[in-house]
């Protein structure tokens, strides 16, 4: 009713980790790599406003590989173990991993 059309989106994701991301996407020669060889993680971020109207920002450590010493919004990604995936082999063989990833998607923001 009311002329609202139901829409949906589908995202096909694989399993990756920070080490793989640094070794591919942050490598000097990343442009020479075919897209299928890049880690390309998908994370999330949130704008968190406090009761007094301020916005929460976090400063990344100087010891991280990507964007050291920068201010970022709270965010993250679901850890594989947090959605019940123990290994890459299990992810590849398990069709239910797709369904389990959605509920844990925003837990990275809460962890921050």
């Amino acid at each position: 009713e009311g002329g609202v059309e139901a829409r949906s989106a589908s995202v096909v994701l694989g399993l990756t980790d920070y080490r793989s991301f640094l070794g591919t996407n942050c490598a000097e020669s990343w442009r020479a790599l075919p897209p299928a060889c890049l880690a390309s993680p998908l994370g999330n971020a949130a704008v968190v406003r406090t009761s007094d109207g301020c916005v929460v920002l976090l400063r990344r450590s100087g010891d991280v590989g990507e964007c050291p010493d920068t201010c970022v919004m709270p965010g993250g990604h679901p850890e594989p173990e947090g959605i019940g995936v123990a290994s890459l082999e299990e992810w590849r063989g398990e069709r239910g991993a797709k369904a389990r990833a959605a509920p844990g998607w925003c837990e990275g923001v809460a962890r921050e």
Side-chain angles (χ1 to χ4, degrees), residues 12-81:
V12 178
L13 302 172
L15 190 62
T16 191
D17 58 20
Y18 192 63
R19 180 179 179 177
S20 298
F21 174 72
L22 291 178
T24 60
N25 299 50
C26 293
E28 285 186 32
S29 60
W30 71 270
R31 286 184 179 88
L33 296 171
C37 292
L38 296 172
S40 298
L42 179 62
N44 59 34
V47 176
V48 178
R49 194 175 90 189
T50 62
S51 60
D52 60 353
C54 294
V55 174
V56 175
L57 294 175
L58 306 173
R59 180 175 300 280
R60 288 179 60 86
S61 167
D63 296 328
V64 297
E66 181 192 23
C67 304
D69 292 318
T70 58
C71 290
V72 296
M73 294 181 291
H77 55 85
E79 296 293 336
E81 298 83 17

Side-chain angles (χ1 to χ4, degrees), residues 13-17 79-98 100:
L13 302 172
L15 190 62
T16 191
D17 58 20
E79 296 293 336
E81 298 83 17
I83 59 170
V85 177
S87 68
L88 183 57
E89 291 75 24
E90 180 184 343
W91 177 265
R92 287 181 177 153
E94 167 111 29
R95 299 290 179 215
K98 175 177 71 172
R100 290 186 306 197

